[in-house]
PDB file of all heavy atoms in Angstrom:
ATOM      1  N   GLY A   8     -10.598  27.662  23.951  1.00  0.00           N
ATOM      2  CA  GLY A   8      -9.283  27.172  23.401  1.00  0.00           C
ATOM      3  C   GLY A   8      -9.380  26.972  21.941  1.00  0.00           C
ATOM      4  O   GLY A   8      -8.462  27.472  21.173  1.00  0.00           O
ATOM      5  N   TRP A   9     -10.485  26.430  21.408  1.00  0.00           N
ATOM      6  CA  TRP A   9     -10.692  26.259  20.023  1.00  0.00           C
ATOM      7  C   TRP A   9     -10.717  27.608  19.314  1.00  0.00           C
ATOM      8  O   TRP A   9     -10.042  27.729  18.281  1.00  0.00           O
ATOM      9  CB  TRP A   9     -12.049  25.461  19.856  1.00  0.00           C
ATOM     10  CG  TRP A   9     -12.516  25.263  18.446  1.00  0.00           C
ATOM     11  CD1 TRP A   9     -13.064  26.293  17.664  1.00  0.00           C
ATOM     12  CD2 TRP A   9     -12.516  24.122  17.710  1.00  0.00           C
ATOM     13  NE1 TRP A   9     -13.399  25.704  16.438  1.00  0.00           N
ATOM     14  CE2 TRP A   9     -13.108  24.475  16.430  1.00  0.00           C
ATOM     15  CE3 TRP A   9     -12.033  22.884  17.875  1.00  0.00           C
ATOM     16  CZ2 TRP A   9     -13.305  23.503  15.375  1.00  0.00           C
ATOM     17  CZ3 TRP A   9     -12.215  21.872  16.854  1.00  0.00           C
ATOM     18  CH2 TRP A   9     -12.816  22.210  15.670  1.00  0.00           C
ATOM     19  N   THR A  10     -11.453  28.563  19.830  1.00  0.00           N
ATOM     20  CA  THR A  10     -11.591  29.874  19.219  1.00  0.00           C
ATOM     21  C   THR A  10     -10.254  30.550  19.154  1.00  0.00           C
ATOM     22  O   THR A  10      -9.839  31.067  18.123  1.00  0.00           O
ATOM     23  CB  THR A  10     -12.622  30.714  19.999  1.00  0.00           C
ATOM     24  OG1 THR A  10     -13.861  30.010  20.031  1.00  0.00           O
ATOM     25  CG2 THR A  10     -12.716  32.029  19.318  1.00  0.00           C
ATOM     26  N   ILE A  11      -9.482  30.610  20.237  1.00  0.00           N
ATOM     27  CA  ILE A  11      -8.224  31.261  20.271  1.00  0.00           C
ATOM     28  C   ILE A  11      -7.196  30.650  19.341  1.00  0.00           C
ATOM     29  O   ILE A  11      -6.480  31.314  18.572  1.00  0.00           O
ATOM     30  CB  ILE A  11      -7.656  31.207  21.780  1.00  0.00           C
ATOM     31  CG1 ILE A  11      -8.599  32.153  22.603  1.00  0.00           C
ATOM     32  CG2 ILE A  11      -6.246  31.756  21.795  1.00  0.00           C
ATOM     33  CD1 ILE A  11      -8.279  32.023  24.049  1.00  0.00           C
ATOM     34  N   ALA A  12      -7.180  29.314  19.335  1.00  0.00           N
ATOM     35  CA  ALA A  12      -6.293  28.586  18.446  1.00  0.00           C
ATOM     36  C   ALA A  12      -6.611  28.828  16.971  1.00  0.00           C
ATOM     37  O   ALA A  12      -5.647  29.032  16.123  1.00  0.00           O
ATOM     38  CB  ALA A  12      -6.278  27.077  18.798  1.00  0.00           C
ATOM     39  N   GLY A  13      -8.007  28.842  16.720  1.00  0.00           N
ATOM     40  CA  GLY A  13      -8.421  29.102  15.359  1.00  0.00           C
ATOM     41  C   GLY A  13      -7.975  30.464  14.870  1.00  0.00           C
ATOM     42  O   GLY A  13      -7.505  30.624  13.718  1.00  0.00           O
ATOM     43  N   LEU A  14      -8.103  31.531  15.718  1.00  0.00           N
ATOM     44  CA  LEU A  14      -7.772  32.837  15.369  1.00  0.00           C
ATOM     45  C   LEU A  14      -6.233  32.932  15.109  1.00  0.00           C
ATOM     46  O   LEU A  14      -5.731  33.596  14.223  1.00  0.00           O
ATOM     47  CB  LEU A  14      -8.143  33.864  16.456  1.00  0.00           C
ATOM     48  CG  LEU A  14      -9.651  34.079  16.569  1.00  0.00           C
ATOM     49  CD1 LEU A  14      -9.925  34.980  17.768  1.00  0.00           C
ATOM     50  CD2 LEU A  14     -10.243  34.662  15.267  1.00  0.00           C
ATOM     51  N   ILE A  15      -5.439  32.258  16.038  1.00  0.00           N
ATOM     52  CA  ILE A  15      -4.021  32.359  15.910  1.00  0.00           C
ATOM     53  C   ILE A  15      -3.548  31.756  14.599  1.00  0.00           C
ATOM     54  O   ILE A  15      -2.523  32.209  13.990  1.00  0.00           O
ATOM     55  CB  ILE A  15      -3.338  31.645  17.100  1.00  0.00           C
ATOM     56  CG1 ILE A  15      -3.516  32.407  18.342  1.00  0.00           C
ATOM     57  CG2 ILE A  15      -1.883  31.449  16.859  1.00  0.00           C
ATOM     58  CD1 ILE A  15      -3.104  31.692  19.614  1.00  0.00           C
ATOM     59  N   ILE A  16      -4.229  30.681  14.127  1.00  0.00           N
ATOM     60  CA  ILE A  16      -3.791  29.948  13.000  1.00  0.00           C
ATOM     61  C   ILE A  16      -4.433  30.545  11.697  1.00  0.00           C
ATOM     62  O   ILE A  16      -3.686  30.935  10.727  1.00  0.00           O
ATOM     63  CB  ILE A  16      -4.227  28.485  12.995  1.00  0.00           C
ATOM     64  CG1 ILE A  16      -3.468  27.836  14.127  1.00  0.00           C
ATOM     65  CG2 ILE A  16      -3.897  27.769  11.650  1.00  0.00           C
ATOM     66  CD1 ILE A  16      -3.887  26.420  14.408  1.00  0.00           C
ATOM     67  N   LEU A  17      -5.742  30.880  11.746  1.00  0.00           N
ATOM     68  CA  LEU A  17      -6.397  31.331  10.516  1.00  0.00           C
ATOM     69  C   LEU A  17      -6.139  32.711  10.113  1.00  0.00           C
ATOM     70  O   LEU A  17      -6.000  33.020   8.868  1.00  0.00           O
ATOM     71  CB  LEU A  17      -7.919  31.204  10.747  1.00  0.00           C
ATOM     72  CG  LEU A  17      -8.433  29.735  10.819  1.00  0.00           C
ATOM     73  CD1 LEU A  17      -9.908  29.720  11.075  1.00  0.00           C
ATOM     74  CD2 LEU A  17      -8.047  28.922   9.524  1.00  0.00           C
ATOM     75  N   VAL A  18      -5.936  33.694  11.053  1.00  0.00           N
ATOM     76  CA  VAL A  18      -5.707  35.010  10.657  1.00  0.00           C
ATOM     77  C   VAL A  18      -4.335  35.185   9.920  1.00  0.00           C
ATOM     78  O   VAL A  18      -4.285  35.753   8.839  1.00  0.00           O
ATOM     79  CB  VAL A  18      -5.692  35.970  11.899  1.00  0.00           C
ATOM     80  CG1 VAL A  18      -5.182  37.360  11.597  1.00  0.00           C
ATOM     81  CG2 VAL A  18      -7.037  36.028  12.476  1.00  0.00           C
ATOM     82  N   PRO A  19      -3.152  34.626  10.371  1.00  0.00           N
ATOM     83  CA  PRO A  19      -1.985  34.731   9.630  1.00  0.00           C
ATOM     84  C   PRO A  19      -2.042  34.028   8.259  1.00  0.00           C
ATOM     85  O   PRO A  19      -1.527  34.536   7.260  1.00  0.00           O
ATOM     86  CB  PRO A  19      -0.934  34.148  10.544  1.00  0.00           C
ATOM     87  CG  PRO A  19      -1.441  34.191  11.881  1.00  0.00           C
ATOM     88  CD  PRO A  19      -2.942  34.018  11.667  1.00  0.00           C
ATOM     89  N   VAL A  20      -2.673  32.852   8.207  1.00  0.00           N
ATOM     90  CA  VAL A  20      -2.877  32.099   6.945  1.00  0.00           C
ATOM     91  C   VAL A  20      -3.630  32.988   5.978  1.00  0.00           C
ATOM     92  O   VAL A  20      -3.335  33.020   4.819  1.00  0.00           O
ATOM     93  CB  VAL A  20      -3.496  30.729   7.298  1.00  0.00           C
ATOM     94  CG1 VAL A  20      -3.902  30.095   5.970  1.00  0.00           C
ATOM     95  CG2 VAL A  20      -2.591  29.872   7.976  1.00  0.00           C
ATOM     96  N   ALA A  21      -4.815  33.539   6.461  1.00  0.00           N
ATOM     97  CA  ALA A  21      -5.616  34.338   5.488  1.00  0.00           C
ATOM     98  C   ALA A  21      -4.812  35.493   4.999  1.00  0.00           C
ATOM     99  O   ALA A  21      -4.928  35.949   3.847  1.00  0.00           O
ATOM    100  CB  ALA A  21      -6.792  34.813   6.246  1.00  0.00           C
ATOM    101  N   PHE A  22      -3.969  36.138   5.948  1.00  0.00           N
ATOM    102  CA  PHE A  22      -3.203  37.348   5.508  1.00  0.00           C
ATOM    103  C   PHE A  22      -2.143  36.931   4.476  1.00  0.00           C
ATOM    104  O   PHE A  22      -1.978  37.617   3.432  1.00  0.00           O
ATOM    105  CB  PHE A  22      -2.553  37.872   6.754  1.00  0.00           C
ATOM    106  CG  PHE A  22      -1.666  39.144   6.398  1.00  0.00           C
ATOM    107  CD1 PHE A  22      -2.179  40.341   6.062  1.00  0.00           C
ATOM    108  CD2 PHE A  22      -0.262  38.936   6.446  1.00  0.00           C
ATOM    109  CE1 PHE A  22      -1.369  41.437   5.813  1.00  0.00           C
ATOM    110  CE2 PHE A  22       0.518  40.033   6.127  1.00  0.00           C
ATOM    111  CZ  PHE A  22       0.010  41.216   5.806  1.00  0.00           C
ATOM    112  N   ILE A  23      -1.467  35.753   4.745  1.00  0.00           N
ATOM    113  CA  ILE A  23      -0.459  35.352   3.778  1.00  0.00           C
ATOM    114  C   ILE A  23      -1.079  34.915   2.444  1.00  0.00           C
ATOM    115  O   ILE A  23      -0.567  35.316   1.322  1.00  0.00           O
ATOM    116  CB  ILE A  23       0.339  34.133   4.340  1.00  0.00           C
ATOM    117  CG1 ILE A  23       1.113  34.567   5.543  1.00  0.00           C
ATOM    118  CG2 ILE A  23       1.248  33.526   3.264  1.00  0.00           C
ATOM    119  CD1 ILE A  23       1.765  33.475   6.344  1.00  0.00           C
ATOM    120  N   LEU A  24      -2.296  34.204   2.461  1.00  0.00           N
ATOM    121  CA  LEU A  24      -2.851  33.904   1.180  1.00  0.00           C
ATOM    122  C   LEU A  24      -3.330  35.106   0.488  1.00  0.00           C
ATOM    123  O   LEU A  24      -3.304  35.101  -0.796  1.00  0.00           O
ATOM    124  CB  LEU A  24      -4.095  32.960   1.499  1.00  0.00           C
ATOM    125  CG  LEU A  24      -3.745  31.552   1.934  1.00  0.00           C
ATOM    126  CD1 LEU A  24      -4.931  30.713   2.230  1.00  0.00           C
ATOM    127  CD2 LEU A  24      -2.887  30.857   0.835  1.00  0.00           C
ATOM    128  N   GLY A  25      -3.816  36.129   1.184  1.00  0.00           N
ATOM    129  CA  GLY A  25      -4.166  37.356   0.507  1.00  0.00           C
ATOM    130  C   GLY A  25      -3.061  38.041  -0.190  1.00  0.00           C
ATOM    131  O   GLY A  25      -3.238  38.591  -1.369  1.00  0.00           O
ATOM    132  N   LEU A  26      -1.821  38.033   0.443  1.00  0.00           N
ATOM    133  CA  LEU A  26      -0.652  38.659  -0.161  1.00  0.00           C
ATOM    134  C   LEU A  26      -0.264  37.845  -1.405  1.00  0.00           C
ATOM    135  O   LEU A  26       0.075  38.393  -2.487  1.00  0.00           O
ATOM    136  CB  LEU A  26       0.453  38.644   0.823  1.00  0.00           C
ATOM    137  CG  LEU A  26       0.404  39.654   1.943  1.00  0.00           C
ATOM    138  CD1 LEU A  26       1.560  39.570   2.837  1.00  0.00           C
ATOM    139  CD2 LEU A  26       0.288  41.105   1.396  1.00  0.00           C
ATOM    140  N   LEU A  27      -0.304  36.478  -1.289  1.00  0.00           N
ATOM    141  CA  LEU A  27       0.084  35.642  -2.386  1.00  0.00           C
ATOM    142  C   LEU A  27      -0.929  35.763  -3.553  1.00  0.00           C
ATOM    143  O   LEU A  27      -0.514  35.617  -4.652  1.00  0.00           O
ATOM    144  CB  LEU A  27       0.140  34.191  -1.931  1.00  0.00           C
ATOM    145  CG  LEU A  27       1.331  33.869  -0.962  1.00  0.00           C
ATOM    146  CD1 LEU A  27       1.196  32.331  -0.505  1.00  0.00           C
ATOM    147  CD2 LEU A  27       2.680  34.149  -1.616  1.00  0.00           C
ATOM    148  N   THR A  28      -2.185  36.047  -3.207  1.00  0.00           N
ATOM    149  CA  THR A  28      -3.172  36.230  -4.342  1.00  0.00           C
ATOM    150  C   THR A  28      -2.863  37.405  -5.062  1.00  0.00           C
ATOM    151  O   THR A  28      -3.061  37.477  -6.359  1.00  0.00           O
ATOM    152  CB  THR A  28      -4.590  36.216  -3.652  1.00  0.00           C
ATOM    153  OG1 THR A  28      -4.819  35.028  -3.001  1.00  0.00           O
ATOM    154  CG2 THR A  28      -5.622  36.450  -4.759  1.00  0.00           C
ATOM    155  N   ALA A  29      -2.377  38.521  -4.420  1.00  0.00           N
ATOM    156  CA  ALA A  29      -2.082  39.794  -5.122  1.00  0.00           C
ATOM    157  C   ALA A  29      -0.862  39.526  -6.027  1.00  0.00           C
ATOM    158  O   ALA A  29      -0.711  40.100  -7.018  1.00  0.00           O
ATOM    159  CB  ALA A  29      -1.878  40.842  -4.026  1.00  0.00           C
ATOM    160  N   ILE A  30       0.068  38.652  -5.521  1.00  0.00           N
ATOM    161  CA  ILE A  30       1.286  38.386  -6.336  1.00  0.00           C
ATOM    162  C   ILE A  30       0.996  37.464  -7.458  1.00  0.00           C
ATOM    163  O   ILE A  30       1.315  37.731  -8.610  1.00  0.00           O
ATOM    164  CB  ILE A  30       2.440  37.847  -5.414  1.00  0.00           C
ATOM    165  CG1 ILE A  30       2.733  38.961  -4.404  1.00  0.00           C
ATOM    166  CG2 ILE A  30       3.638  37.495  -6.255  1.00  0.00           C
ATOM    167  CD1 ILE A  30       3.696  38.443  -3.256  1.00  0.00           C
ATOM    168  N   SER A  31       0.491  36.314  -7.081  1.00  0.00           N
ATOM    169  CA  SER A  31       0.133  35.221  -8.081  1.00  0.00           C
ATOM    170  C   SER A  31      -1.037  34.436  -7.626  1.00  0.00           C
ATOM    171  O   SER A  31      -0.838  33.594  -6.688  1.00  0.00           O
ATOM    172  CB  SER A  31       1.416  34.348  -8.276  1.00  0.00           C
ATOM    173  OG  SER A  31       1.181  33.242  -9.089  1.00  0.00           O
ATOM    174  N   PRO A  32      -2.136  34.480  -8.256  1.00  0.00           N
ATOM    175  CA  PRO A  32      -3.298  33.624  -7.846  1.00  0.00           C
ATOM    176  C   PRO A  32      -3.008  32.155  -7.983  1.00  0.00           C
ATOM    177  O   PRO A  32      -3.533  31.382  -7.194  1.00  0.00           O
ATOM    178  CB  PRO A  32      -4.440  34.125  -8.875  1.00  0.00           C
ATOM    179  CG  PRO A  32      -3.956  35.531  -9.278  1.00  0.00           C
ATOM    180  CD  PRO A  32      -2.536  35.507  -9.234  1.00  0.00           C
ATOM    181  N   VAL A  33      -2.237  31.841  -9.037  1.00  0.00           N
ATOM    182  CA  VAL A  33      -1.964  30.358  -9.237  1.00  0.00           C
ATOM    183  C   VAL A  33      -1.131  29.854  -8.017  1.00  0.00           C
ATOM    184  O   VAL A  33      -1.432  28.848  -7.477  1.00  0.00           O
ATOM    185  CB  VAL A  33      -1.110  30.199 -10.447  1.00  0.00           C
ATOM    186  CG1 VAL A  33      -0.704  28.652 -10.552  1.00  0.00           C
ATOM    187  CG2 VAL A  33      -1.935  30.576 -11.670  1.00  0.00           C
ATOM    188  N   LEU A  34      -0.151  30.605  -7.483  1.00  0.00           N
ATOM    189  CA  LEU A  34       0.647  30.178  -6.355  1.00  0.00           C
ATOM    190  C   LEU A  34      -0.217  30.083  -5.122  1.00  0.00           C
ATOM    191  O   LEU A  34      -0.189  29.223  -4.296  1.00  0.00           O
ATOM    192  CB  LEU A  34       1.790  31.192  -6.146  1.00  0.00           C
ATOM    193  CG  LEU A  34       2.723  30.994  -4.935  1.00  0.00           C
ATOM    194  CD1 LEU A  34       3.386  29.558  -4.989  1.00  0.00           C
ATOM    195  CD2 LEU A  34       3.744  32.054  -4.837  1.00  0.00           C
ATOM    196  N   SER A  35      -1.077  31.128  -4.988  1.00  0.00           N
ATOM    197  CA  SER A  35      -2.029  31.116  -3.826  1.00  0.00           C
ATOM    198  C   SER A  35      -2.851  29.845  -3.746  1.00  0.00           C
ATOM    199  O   SER A  35      -3.132  29.201  -2.734  1.00  0.00           O
ATOM    200  CB  SER A  35      -2.852  32.409  -3.831  1.00  0.00           C
ATOM    201  OG  SER A  35      -3.744  32.387  -2.779  1.00  0.00           O
ATOM    202  N   ASN A  36      -3.420  29.593  -4.957  1.00  0.00           N
ATOM    203  CA  ASN A  36      -4.348  28.342  -5.002  1.00  0.00           C
ATOM    204  C   ASN A  36      -3.622  27.036  -4.769  1.00  0.00           C
ATOM    205  O   ASN A  36      -4.098  26.110  -4.135  1.00  0.00           O
ATOM    206  CB  ASN A  36      -4.984  28.304  -6.433  1.00  0.00           C
ATOM    207  CG  ASN A  36      -6.016  29.413  -6.523  1.00  0.00           C
ATOM    208  OD1 ASN A  36      -6.597  29.958  -5.562  1.00  0.00           O
ATOM    209  ND2 ASN A  36      -6.275  29.817  -7.800  1.00  0.00           N
ATOM    210  N   THR A  37      -2.293  27.040  -5.236  1.00  0.00           N
ATOM    211  CA  THR A  37      -1.548  25.788  -5.043  1.00  0.00           C
ATOM    212  C   THR A  37      -1.187  25.618  -3.561  1.00  0.00           C
ATOM    213  O   THR A  37      -1.357  24.520  -3.000  1.00  0.00           O
ATOM    214  CB  THR A  37      -0.176  25.946  -5.789  1.00  0.00           C
ATOM    215  OG1 THR A  37      -0.469  26.084  -7.150  1.00  0.00           O
ATOM    216  CG2 THR A  37       0.696  24.630  -5.642  1.00  0.00           C
ATOM    217  N   ILE A  38      -0.842  26.680  -2.870  1.00  0.00           N
ATOM    218  CA  ILE A  38      -0.596  26.594  -1.436  1.00  0.00           C
ATOM    219  C   ILE A  38      -1.793  26.212  -0.626  1.00  0.00           C
ATOM    220  O   ILE A  38      -1.816  25.436   0.318  1.00  0.00           O
ATOM    221  CB  ILE A  38       0.011  27.913  -0.871  1.00  0.00           C
ATOM    222  CG1 ILE A  38       1.390  28.110  -1.515  1.00  0.00           C
ATOM    223  CG2 ILE A  38       0.138  27.953   0.617  1.00  0.00           C
ATOM    224  CD1 ILE A  38       2.095  29.429  -1.132  1.00  0.00           C
ATOM    225  N   LEU A  39      -3.053  26.847  -1.044  1.00  0.00           N
ATOM    226  CA  LEU A  39      -4.228  26.466  -0.391  1.00  0.00           C
ATOM    227  C   LEU A  39      -4.487  24.987  -0.562  1.00  0.00           C
ATOM    228  O   LEU A  39      -5.013  24.344   0.427  1.00  0.00           O
ATOM    229  CB  LEU A  39      -5.335  27.337  -0.959  1.00  0.00           C
ATOM    230  CG  LEU A  39      -6.754  27.058  -0.461  1.00  0.00           C
ATOM    231  CD1 LEU A  39      -6.818  27.409   1.086  1.00  0.00           C
ATOM    232  CD2 LEU A  39      -7.786  27.894  -1.159  1.00  0.00           C
ATOM    233  N   ILE A  40      -4.328  24.404  -1.707  1.00  0.00           N
ATOM    234  CA  ILE A  40      -4.565  22.991  -1.900  1.00  0.00           C
ATOM    235  C   ILE A  40      -3.629  22.143  -0.984  1.00  0.00           C
ATOM    236  O   ILE A  40      -3.980  21.191  -0.481  1.00  0.00           O
ATOM    237  CB  ILE A  40      -4.328  22.616  -3.381  1.00  0.00           C
ATOM    238  CG1 ILE A  40      -5.451  23.246  -4.223  1.00  0.00           C
ATOM    239  CG2 ILE A  40      -4.393  21.152  -3.564  1.00  0.00           C
ATOM    240  CD1 ILE A  40      -5.306  23.079  -5.763  1.00  0.00           C
ATOM    241  N   VAL A  41      -2.360  22.560  -0.900  1.00  0.00           N
ATOM    242  CA  VAL A  41      -1.439  21.881   0.019  1.00  0.00           C
ATOM    243  C   VAL A  41      -1.915  21.897   1.448  1.00  0.00           C
ATOM    244  O   VAL A  41      -1.826  20.911   2.158  1.00  0.00           O
ATOM    245  CB  VAL A  41      -0.022  22.462  -0.209  1.00  0.00           C
ATOM    246  CG1 VAL A  41       0.911  21.907   0.852  1.00  0.00           C
ATOM    247  CG2 VAL A  41       0.532  22.166  -1.558  1.00  0.00           C
ATOM    248  N   ILE A  42      -2.349  23.131   1.914  1.00  0.00           N
ATOM    249  CA  ILE A  42      -2.853  23.163   3.156  1.00  0.00           C
ATOM    250  C   ILE A  42      -4.076  22.406   3.486  1.00  0.00           C
ATOM    251  O   ILE A  42      -4.169  21.718   4.519  1.00  0.00           O
ATOM    252  CB  ILE A  42      -3.195  24.730   3.491  1.00  0.00           C
ATOM    253  CG1 ILE A  42      -1.956  25.589   3.552  1.00  0.00           C
ATOM    254  CG2 ILE A  42      -3.952  24.826   4.889  1.00  0.00           C
ATOM    255  CD1 ILE A  42      -2.236  27.082   3.650  1.00  0.00           C
ATOM    256  N   LEU A  43      -4.950  22.264   2.526  1.00  0.00           N
ATOM    257  CA  LEU A  43      -6.142  21.462   2.600  1.00  0.00           C
ATOM    258  C   LEU A  43      -5.757  19.972   2.739  1.00  0.00           C
ATOM    259  O   LEU A  43      -6.400  19.141   3.500  1.00  0.00           O
ATOM    260  CB  LEU A  43      -7.108  21.638   1.472  1.00  0.00           C
ATOM    261  CG  LEU A  43      -7.762  23.073   1.475  1.00  0.00           C
ATOM    262  CD1 LEU A  43      -8.598  23.128   0.215  1.00  0.00           C
ATOM    263  CD2 LEU A  43      -8.609  23.239   2.675  1.00  0.00           C
ATOM    264  N   LEU A  44      -4.741  19.517   1.906  1.00  0.00           N
ATOM    265  CA  LEU A  44      -4.319  18.088   1.984  1.00  0.00           C
ATOM    266  C   LEU A  44      -3.670  17.794   3.314  1.00  0.00           C
ATOM    267  O   LEU A  44      -3.878  16.788   3.887  1.00  0.00           O
ATOM    268  CB  LEU A  44      -3.276  17.863   0.838  1.00  0.00           C
ATOM    269  CG  LEU A  44      -3.863  17.877  -0.605  1.00  0.00           C
ATOM    270  CD1 LEU A  44      -2.770  17.735  -1.634  1.00  0.00           C
ATOM    271  CD2 LEU A  44      -4.933  16.813  -0.745  1.00  0.00           C
ATOM    272  N   LEU A  45      -2.837  18.731   3.810  1.00  0.00           N
ATOM    273  CA  LEU A  45      -2.192  18.518   5.137  1.00  0.00           C
ATOM    274  C   LEU A  45      -3.250  18.504   6.320  1.00  0.00           C
ATOM    275  O   LEU A  45      -2.973  17.868   7.268  1.00  0.00           O
ATOM    276  CB  LEU A  45      -1.099  19.599   5.359  1.00  0.00           C
ATOM    277  CG  LEU A  45       0.130  19.616   4.470  1.00  0.00           C
ATOM    278  CD1 LEU A  45       0.952  20.684   4.801  1.00  0.00           C
ATOM    279  CD2 LEU A  45       0.837  18.246   4.639  1.00  0.00           C
ATOM    280  N   SER A  46      -4.290  19.202   6.041  1.00  0.00           N
ATOM    281  CA  SER A  46      -5.377  19.307   7.138  1.00  0.00           C
ATOM    282  C   SER A  46      -6.038  18.054   7.380  1.00  0.00           C
ATOM    283  O   SER A  46      -6.742  17.764   8.365  1.00  0.00           O
ATOM    284  CB  SER A  46      -6.359  20.373   6.795  1.00  0.00           C
ATOM    285  OG  SER A  46      -7.144  20.100   5.692  1.00  0.00           O
ATOM    286  N   TYR A  47      -5.881  17.030   6.445  1.00  0.00           N
ATOM    287  CA  TYR A  47      -6.472  15.747   6.603  1.00  0.00           C
ATOM    288  C   TYR A  47      -5.994  15.092   7.939  1.00  0.00           C
ATOM    289  O   TYR A  47      -6.752  14.353   8.594  1.00  0.00           O
ATOM    290  CB  TYR A  47      -6.050  14.836   5.417  1.00  0.00           C
ATOM    291  CG  TYR A  47      -6.399  13.355   5.643  1.00  0.00           C
ATOM    292  CD1 TYR A  47      -7.679  12.836   5.507  1.00  0.00           C
ATOM    293  CD2 TYR A  47      -5.332  12.406   6.025  1.00  0.00           C
ATOM    294  CE1 TYR A  47      -7.934  11.553   5.727  1.00  0.00           C
ATOM    295  CE2 TYR A  47      -5.572  11.127   6.226  1.00  0.00           C
ATOM    296  CZ  TYR A  47      -6.910  10.688   6.098  1.00  0.00           C
ATOM    297  OH  TYR A  47      -7.196   9.376   6.298  1.00  0.00           O
ATOM    298  N   TRP A  48      -4.787  15.332   8.276  1.00  0.00           N
ATOM    299  CA  TRP A  48      -4.189  14.753   9.461  1.00  0.00           C
ATOM    300  C   TRP A  48      -4.729  15.350  10.787  1.00  0.00           C
ATOM    301  O   TRP A  48      -4.587  14.818  11.842  1.00  0.00           O
ATOM    302  CB  TRP A  48      -2.687  14.853   9.478  1.00  0.00           C
ATOM    303  CG  TRP A  48      -2.053  14.245   8.252  1.00  0.00           C
ATOM    304  CD1 TRP A  48      -1.580  14.872   7.172  1.00  0.00           C
ATOM    305  CD2 TRP A  48      -1.792  12.854   8.047  1.00  0.00           C
ATOM    306  NE1 TRP A  48      -1.158  13.954   6.250  1.00  0.00           N
ATOM    307  CE2 TRP A  48      -1.226  12.753   6.825  1.00  0.00           C
ATOM    308  CE3 TRP A  48      -2.027  11.688   8.865  1.00  0.00           C
ATOM    309  CZ2 TRP A  48      -0.880  11.480   6.342  1.00  0.00           C
ATOM    310  CZ3 TRP A  48      -1.628  10.495   8.292  1.00  0.00           C
ATOM    311  CH2 TRP A  48      -1.066  10.404   7.057  1.00  0.00           C
ATOM    312  N   LEU A  49      -5.433  16.465  10.600  1.00  0.00           N
ATOM    313  CA  LEU A  49      -6.095  17.112  11.798  1.00  0.00           C
ATOM    314  C   LEU A  49      -7.530  16.815  11.931  1.00  0.00           C
ATOM    315  O   LEU A  49      -8.153  17.098  12.932  1.00  0.00           O
ATOM    316  CB  LEU A  49      -5.867  18.629  11.610  1.00  0.00           C
ATOM    317  CG  LEU A  49      -4.450  19.085  11.616  1.00  0.00           C
ATOM    318  CD1 LEU A  49      -4.479  20.667  11.451  1.00  0.00           C
ATOM    319  CD2 LEU A  49      -3.788  18.844  13.009  1.00  0.00           C
ATOM    320  N   ILE A  50      -8.156  16.186  10.928  1.00  0.00           N
ATOM    321  CA  ILE A  50      -9.581  15.928  10.891  1.00  0.00           C
ATOM    322  C   ILE A  50      -9.969  15.071  12.027  1.00  0.00           C
ATOM    323  O   ILE A  50     -10.915  15.415  12.811  1.00  0.00           O
ATOM    324  CB  ILE A  50     -10.034  15.255   9.588  1.00  0.00           C
ATOM    325  CG1 ILE A  50      -9.876  16.340   8.474  1.00  0.00           C
ATOM    326  CG2 ILE A  50     -11.532  14.850   9.666  1.00  0.00           C
ATOM    327  CD1 ILE A  50     -10.183  15.745   7.037  1.00  0.00           C
ATOM    328  N   VAL A  51      -9.295  13.936  12.269  1.00  0.00           N
ATOM    329  CA  VAL A  51      -9.678  13.003  13.292  1.00  0.00           C
ATOM    330  C   VAL A  51      -9.518  13.649  14.703  1.00  0.00           C
ATOM    331  O   VAL A  51     -10.434  13.624  15.555  1.00  0.00           O
ATOM    332  CB  VAL A  51      -8.891  11.669  13.158  1.00  0.00           C
ATOM    333  CG1 VAL A  51      -9.237  10.771  14.372  1.00  0.00           C
ATOM    334  CG2 VAL A  51      -9.347  10.961  11.901  1.00  0.00           C
ATOM    335  N   PRO A  52      -8.386  14.151  15.028  1.00  0.00           N
ATOM    336  CA  PRO A  52      -8.213  14.729  16.433  1.00  0.00           C
ATOM    337  C   PRO A  52      -9.147  15.909  16.661  1.00  0.00           C
ATOM    338  O   PRO A  52      -9.649  16.110  17.753  1.00  0.00           O
ATOM    339  CB  PRO A  52      -6.817  15.173  16.521  1.00  0.00           C
ATOM    340  CG  PRO A  52      -6.320  15.208  15.110  1.00  0.00           C
ATOM    341  CD  PRO A  52      -7.038  14.135  14.337  1.00  0.00           C
TER     342      PRO A  52
END
């Protein structure tokens, strides 16, 4: 379940970040930081 959920989440996120990096590296890095901050709420569970 962990593996399947990880693929479902990480593959689209990586694809979107790749597209944003091609458009604007600054925008891509900003969104990555926001994702990392939001992931704090997932650390404990």
